[in-house]
Amino acid sequence: MATVSAIGTMMAAQVSEPGADFKIIEREIPEPGAGHVRIKVQASGVCHSDVLTKEGSWPGIQYPRVPGHEVAGIVEKLGAGVSIWKKGQRVGIGWHGGQDNTCRECRRGDFRNCRNLKIPGISYDGGYQEYMVAPVEALVPIPETLSDNHAAPLLCAGITTYNALRHSGAFPGDLVAVQGIGGLGHLEIQFANKFGYKVVAIGRGPENALLAKKLGASAYIDSQSTNAAEELRKLGGARVILATAPNSKAMSDLIDGLGPNGKLIVIGLTSDPIEVTPVQLISGSLTIQGWSAGTPADSEDTLRFAELSGVRPMIETYPLEKAAEAYARMISGKAQFRVVLTM
Ligand SMILES: [Zn+2]
Ligand SMILES: [Zn+2]
């Protein structure tokens, strides 16, 4: 999509082949083609899904590749035919990096499930660099009061948690449980609180109890020292449980904590099976649903809601040249809670 001309060079953190270490390279600044814009990247979130690019576990990635699908920046140059975006405008790009507009799902308006979905940092070079080129349908305007460093993680972790919750079917006042207090969970607790639910946070060990309450949970369940499903049942059973921690066993153990017509929504990505019996599902008319992020329009809603409600990610920042260190910090699982590269 992007063609290169000699207009200067920039810094990028690149993966040269599956499993290779990050390399900081100097390369030419890319030119935006028709229907694309060039963005001066200001911040780029480091997400666990960047493992797909780093380790080559997503089919068909062409290397070298620059990861990054949580990008906040400034429109710097318009490609041919671009009229609704302006130079100098603050924009973001999330997981949904473009659709083909021609597949069956796109023709139905279901862009989220486009069969040829493009993902920044996977299908084309993403945000771990000073400038990137993106198709206009991937762009999200960033509200004025939201900083680049806060907007970036909201474009993946934020939209996923916000969008899953607003489609959950729970009503204000319902009991909503959030399993896991990490990169996704710490946002989900805030959103659930601002949506007007009675929020119960479920974590392993007592460490995060205070933080969960600070983020808006009215109760905290330590799943290591108690049976979390039983504790939820004592509270009447959850209308919705949002499973954010990538732990299939923990998700399976929570199903009995759902109330009648309850729903387990899975957003924490793992490859192990969730175990549930037909008896469990049928007796309470339960549902188990998976949820992936959403369209750029959903991201726009997420950012606007964050602006309105004060929901913000907790972040740790690293300069672009320390991308390897930032990535290692994210992988360690010890970051509080999202890691962001700044340019
Ligand atoms: Zn992500
Ligand atoms: Zn499509």
Side-chain angles (χ1 to χ4, degrees):
M1 235 27 98
T3 53
V4 172
S5 71
I7 54 153
T9 58
M10 64 168 186
M11 198 201 305
Q14 170 179 287
V15 180
S16 57
E17 59 183 11
D21 290 332
F22 283 100
K23 213 183 247 160
I24 301 295
I25 56 152
E26 196 177 322
R27 61 191 295 203
E28 296 205 38
I29 296 172
E31 282 293 300
H36 288 64
V37 298
R38 182 165 72 217
I39 293 153
K40 185 176 186 308
V41 178
Q42 302 287 95
S44 185
V46 177
C47 178
H48 197 268
S49 304
D50 295 339
V51 169
L52 301 170
T53 304
K54 174 77 169 53
E55 302 303 330
S57 39
W58 186 275
I61 299 183
Q62 300 198 347
Y63 290 86
R65 185 54 83 218
V66 175
H69 59 265
E70 301 183 351
V71 189
I74 298 161
V75 175
E76 208 247 349
K77 186 170 184 187
L78 308 177
V82 177
S83 55
I84 59 164
W85 300 89
K86 292 183 184 65
K87 260 181 86 166
Q89 189 172 358
R90 293 177 69 224
V91 294
I93 305 151
W95 181 258
H96 187 113
Q99 70 270 355
D100 64 3
N101 290 314
T102 55
C103 77
R104 197 175 170 79
E105 277 62 41
C106 283
R107 281 159 55 219
R108 290 180 194 281
D110 183 11
F111 302 118
R112 190 164 69 97
N113 288 310
C114 174
R115 293 181 188 206
N116 298 299
L117 182 70
K118 285 190 200 132
I119 303 159
I122 288 181
S123 319
Y124 54 86
D125 285 341
Y128 288 28
Q129 53 183 344
E130 290 179 292
Y131 294 88
M132 75 174 277
V133 164
V136 286
E137 75 262 22
L139 302 182
V140 181
I142 299 178
E144 213 175 302
T145 63
L146 213 52
S147 72
D148 296 316
N149 291 352
H150 282 149
L154 288 172
L155 293 160
C156 179
I159 179 192
T160 302
T161 48
Y162 170 82
N163 221 17
L165 189 58
R166 71 169 172 170
H167 288 100
S168 72
F171 289 114
D174 280 350
L175 180 72
V176 167
V178 178
Q179 172 253 5
I181 298 151
L184 293 168
H186 88 288
L187 286 165
E188 194 75 277
I189 292 169
Q190 295 180 64
F191 282 127
N193 171 255
K194 297 294 182 186
F195 281 17
Y197 301 127
K198 181 180 165 64
V199 186
V200 176
I202 301 166
R204 289 160 66 82
E207 304 87 69
N208 283 324
L210 263 178
L211 175 66
K213 295 207 173 148
K214 221 177 93 192
L215 294 171
S218 61
Y220 179 80
I221 297 174
D222 173 0
S223 65
Q224 244 161 17
S225 65
T226 55
N227 179 328
E230 213 173 283
E231 295 302 311
L232 284 176
R233 278 204 306 277
K234 279 187 207 160
L235 296 166
R239 179 70 185 79
V240 167
I241 299 172
L242 289 134
T244 73
N247 182 336
S248 304
K249 167 84 169 59
M251 294 181 195
S252 308
D253 289 347
L254 280 178
I255 292 169
D256 283 337
L258 288 167
N261 301 306
K263 189 190 275 188
L264 175 75
I265 302 181
V266 177
I267 55 178
L269 195 64
T270 73
S271 313
D272 315 317
I274 292 171
E275 280 183 34
V276 61
T277 66
V279 172
Q280 281 175 294
L281 285 179
I282 292 167
S283 54
S285 301
L286 307 184
T287 308
I288 299 177
Q289 183 186 9
W291 192 273
S292 68
T295 64
D298 293 321
S299 282
E300 195 174 338
D301 293 343
T302 307
L303 297 188
R304 209 184 296 117
F305 185 82
E307 183 186 41
L308 193 72
S309 63
V311 170
R312 296 288 185 276
M314 292 167 66
I315 57 170
E316 295 180 4
T317 59
Y318 289 79
L320 173 61
E321 54 267 36
K322 293 200 169 158
E325 207 179 303
Y327 179 85
R329 176 72 177 159
M330 179 279 297
I331 288 288
S332 77
K334 291 186 182 128
Q336 299 270 330
F337 282 101
R338 303 294 295 188
V339 174
V340 179
L341 294 174
T342 58
M343 316 317 170

